[in-house]
Amino acid sequence: MTSPPTFLGMPPFPEAARSAVSNPQLRHNLRKATHTIRDKRAHVVGELSDWGELRAAGAAIKDRTLRRLDEYLVAAEAAVTAAGGTVHWAADAAEANRIVADLVRATGETEVVKVKSMVTQEIGLNEALAAEGIRAYETDLAELIVQLGDDLPSHILVPAIHRNRAEIREIFVREMAEWGVPAPPGLTDEPAALAEAARRHLRERFLSAKVAVSGANFLVAETGTLVVVESEGNGRMCLTLPETLISVVGIEKVVPTWADLEVFLQLLPRSSTGERMNPYTSMWTGVTPGDGPRDFHLVLLDNGRTDVLADTTGRQALRCIRCSACLNVCPVYERTGGHAYGSVYPGPIGAILVPQLRGVATGKVDPQTASLPYASSLCGACYEVCPVAIDIPEVLVHLREQVVEGGGHRAERAAMRAAEWVLDDAKRLRTVQRVAARSRRLLPRRAPGPGAAWSDSRALPEVPAQSFRDWWVRERGAPPARHPAAPAQPPAEKNRIEEDDR
C-alpha cells in the first residue's frame, strides 16, 4: 500500500485555488519570484544555438532508458555494490521509510541531516522518522524555512517561494532556538543577514551529524555514481561529513552512461535556476576509505512508478528532471501557488505525476487527486519550456479521460452519456434542438447544480431561435442532403496499401 503523495486534509484543487487567489500577498510573492526565475532561464537558454537539439536528446535518452529500465537498474545495483555500497529495493513508501528508519537505528543515532529531496517528501520520510524517535533536520535554506515554520513546500526548486523576507525573519526569530542555535539578536530581514543566521544555525548540525539522508538528481548506471546538483553547498556538507549516508532515489532517476549525464548537466541548471552550471555538483560512487562516509546505502524506490511506466501516454511524466520550469510559466500556478495542488509536486508536472502515482486509472483516488488534471488552462506554455519535452497538455487530457471513465466526476460522465444518446440519432437531436429553441428565454444564465462551477468563469452559449436544419428547410424547402458515402476501395488497391504499410 503506497503512502499518498498528497498533503492530508487538503480540499480539491478548485476549493484550495479559490482561497489562494484571494490572498494578494501570496500572489505578489509568486509573481515576483516566478517572473525573475523565468527571465533568467530565457536569457541563458537563448545563449545556446543548439538548445532544441539538446532538448530532443534529453527526451530521447529518457525514453530509451525507460524502455530498458529493468536492465539499467540491475546494472546500477551491480556497480554500487562493487563500489562498496549497499542497495535496498522499496516497492512503496512504507517499505522505504522502514528501511531508512532501520538503517538509522542501526547506527545508534537519533538525528539525521538531510539534503533537499523531493522523493523523501513524497514518502513522508521526516514524519516516519519522527514516529520512530528520530529527528530529521533540513539543511537547504528554503526547506529549513518550511520546516521551522511548520509549513508545507509550495515549489519544486524554491519550496518557500510563498514567503517574503519579512515573514522569514519572523520565523527565524520565533523558531530557531527550538531547533538549535537561535537567531542572532537584532536580526533584520536583509537577505545577507538571513543567510548568515541560517549558516550559523546549520553549522552545528553539519559538524555533529553522524547520519545524512539525501536524494539524487541522477544515478549513472555504468558506474553506480550518484549526482546531486545544488546552489548553496549544504548538500556537499551532508554528503561528505557524516559517517553514514542513505540516499533514497526514484527508479526513474537512472541514466545509462556519463555521456548521457553530460546532456542533463546542460539542461537542468539552465531550466531550473537560470544558471549555465550549478555552483555545486556533487558526485559519489560507493565508499572510499578515508574520504567521505564509511557506509553508503542506496534505497531504490518504486512507489507507483512502474504503474506509470505501463501507460504509453502518461509515462513521459517519468522523464521529469525536477527543474520546475513548467511552474514558473504556468498562469494557474502563478495565481494559486503550490499548496492548492495538495502535493509535494505542484504545478503542471504535479498535475500529471501525482494522479498517476496515486492510480487515477483505477478510479479509486480521492477527490483532491482527481481534481488535479483539471488544474490547467491547457495553454501549452509548460510544454514549450520543458527541457525534456514532456507534452503535459496531452497527458492532462489523457488523465481527464481516465477520471471520467473511473467515475471521478459523475456529473460530467452523466452529461457525456446524455450527449451521446442525443447526438446518436438525428430525430432525437432535432427534437432537443426545437425544444431548446422554444424555451430559450426560460433557460438560466448559469449552469445549475454541479455545472455552476463551470459557468462561474464562462458564459453559457445562447440558444438560437432555430436550428441550422430548420433554417435550411425554411430557406430551401428541403433538408440538406447527406454527404455521399465514400466508395469502397477496390480489393487490389486495398491490398497494395496494406503491403506499403508493412
Side-chain angles (χ1 to χ4, degrees):
M1 180 67 181
T2 60
S3 175
T6 52
F7 301 141
L8 294 178
M10 286 295 293
F13 182 84
E15 296 177 34
R18 188 176 298 111
S19 173
V21 296
S22 64
N23 184 337
Q25 184 62 58
L26 174 66
R27 295 183 64 173
H28 171 78
N29 295 348
L30 289 169
R31 182 170 57 253
K32 182 177 180 180
T34 56
H35 282 235
T36 298
I37 297 172
R38 75 191 196 190
D39 288 346
K40 289 176 62 180
R41 175 203 171 275
H43 175 72
V44 295
V45 166
E47 295 175 344
L48 298 182
S49 60
D50 64 343
W51 178 257
E53 288 80 0
L54 273 173
R55 185 175 184 246
I61 292 169
K62 280 289 186 177
D63 285 345
R64 171 166 53 88
T65 306
L66 292 172
R67 284 195 297 270
R68 299 172 55 193
L69 186 58
D70 55 341
E71 299 175 28
Y72 291 123
L73 287 172
V74 171
E77 178 187 30
V80 170
T81 303
T86 304
V87 178
H88 310 262
W89 297 84
D92 56 26
E95 187 173 8
N97 288 334
R98 185 171 63 253
I99 291 170
V100 175
D102 289 346
L103 290 172
V104 176
R105 275 200 303 267
T107 68
E109 297 295 318
T110 58
E111 296 180 351
V112 302
V113 289
K114 286 187 66 205
V115 185
K116 181 180 182 300
S117 165
M118 300 293 296
V119 75
T120 59
Q121 293 174 359
E122 174 191 326
I123 63 176
L125 179 62
N126 287 11
E127 294 77 12
L129 291 178
E132 299 291 334
I134 302 167
R135 197 172 197 181
Y137 293 92
E138 298 289 351
T139 63
D140 173 83
L141 177 56
E143 292 287 3
L144 174 66
I145 295 166
V146 170
Q147 185 175 55
L148 293 179
D150 193 22
D151 203 350
L152 297 170
S154 62
H155 192 275
I156 290 176
L157 177 67
V158 194
I161 196 172
H162 56 288
R163 297 288 192 183
N164 60 34
R165 64 190 195 184
E167 293 172 311
I168 294 169
R169 176 197 170 276
E170 291 178 7
I171 291 171
F172 281 8
V173 171
R174 185 177 67 244
E175 301 293 339
M176 269 187 168
E178 168 65 19
W179 289 79
V181 175
L187 178 65
T188 70
D189 64 0
E190 289 299 313
L194 295 173
E196 178 61 25
R199 185 179 296 112
R200 292 177 64 252
H201 177 81
L202 291 171
R203 183 68 56 172
E204 178 187 47
R205 294 293 165 209
F206 291 138
L207 296 176
S208 62
K210 303 296 184 183
V211 182
V213 175
S214 81
N217 294 98
F218 307 101
L219 165 58
V220 183
E222 69 176 347
T223 58
T225 301
L226 285 92
V227 183
V228 163
V229 296
E230 46 145 346
S231 298
E232 300 171 12
N234 61 291
R236 180 71 57 82
M237 301 286 278
C238 291
L239 297 169
T240 55
L241 293 179
E243 297 174 359
T244 300
L245 173 60
I246 306 167
S247 298
V248 184
V249 181
I251 57 175
E252 82 281 13
K253 294 299 184 71
V254 67
V255 296
T257 68
W258 280 85
D260 298 323
L261 176 66
E262 186 268 340
V263 173
F264 296 109
L265 291 183
Q266 295 186 70
L267 291 170
L268 180 55
R270 286 178 167 84
S271 296
S272 58
T273 57
E275 297 170 297
R276 296 175 184 87
M277 66 181 295
N278 291 95
Y280 295 88
T281 300
S282 300
M283 303 179 183
W284 68 101
T285 307
V287 294
T288 302
D291 183 13
R294 296 200 295 265
D295 293 303
F296 169 59
H297 297 269
L298 171 62
V299 181
L300 289 170
L301 176 73
D302 186 333
N303 205 36
R305 284 159 174 79
T306 52
D307 293 332
V308 180
L309 188 61
D311 187 327
T312 55
T313 299
R315 73 170 58 150
Q316 56 186 300
L318 296 179
R319 293 182 200 157
C320 178
I321 57 175
R322 309 291 192 266
C323 70
S324 76
C326 61
L327 280 69
N328 299 326
V329 299
C330 178
V332 176
Y333 175 87
E334 183 183 319
R335 287 157 179 79
T336 65
H339 291 161
Y341 294 82
S343 166
V344 298
Y345 302 116
I349 188 60
I352 66 170
L353 183 58
V354 173
Q356 293 190 88
L357 292 177
R358 292 275 286 152
V360 71
T362 66
K364 297 179 181 179
V365 296
D366 56 86
Q368 194 278 336
T369 304
S371 70
L372 291 179
Y374 296 85
S376 170
S377 65
L378 300 180
C379 68
C382 50
Y383 170 68
E384 294 299 325
V385 300
C386 177
V388 287
I390 302 171
D391 193 341
I392 293 178
E394 178 189 32
V395 182
L396 285 169
V397 173
H398 173 65
L399 293 177
R400 291 179 185 184
E401 179 182 355
Q402 292 185 352
V403 169
V404 173
E405 289 178 349
H409 289 262
R410 295 178 181 175
E412 182 178 2
R413 192 176 184 182
M416 291 300 103
R417 285 178 173 173
E420 180 184 18
W421 180 81
V422 171
L423 297 172
D424 195 47
D425 183 86
K427 291 182 179 180
R428 284 198 290 262
L429 175 61
R430 189 157 50 248
T431 300
V432 170
Q433 288 175 330
R434 287 175 177 172
V435 170
R438 291 170 184 172
S439 60
R440 62 196 183 98
R441 290 187 175 85
L442 303 177
L443 296 177
R445 299 185 64 85
R446 295 180 72 250
W454 186 89
S455 55
D456 281 344
S457 56
R458 304 170 179 84
L460 288 175
E462 292 187 8
V463 178
Q466 60 182 334
S467 69
F468 172 77
R469 286 181 173 274
D470 287 344
W471 174 86
W472 186 280
V473 170
R474 182 170 62 82
E475 293 294 322
R476 305 292 178 91
R482 290 179 177 271
H483 192 280
Q489 249 179 3
E493 180 68 12
K494 181 175 183 294
N495 291 340
R496 186 185 65 79
I497 293 173
E498 289 179 350
E499 297 239 350
D500 288 346
D501 289 342
R502 287 198 295 269

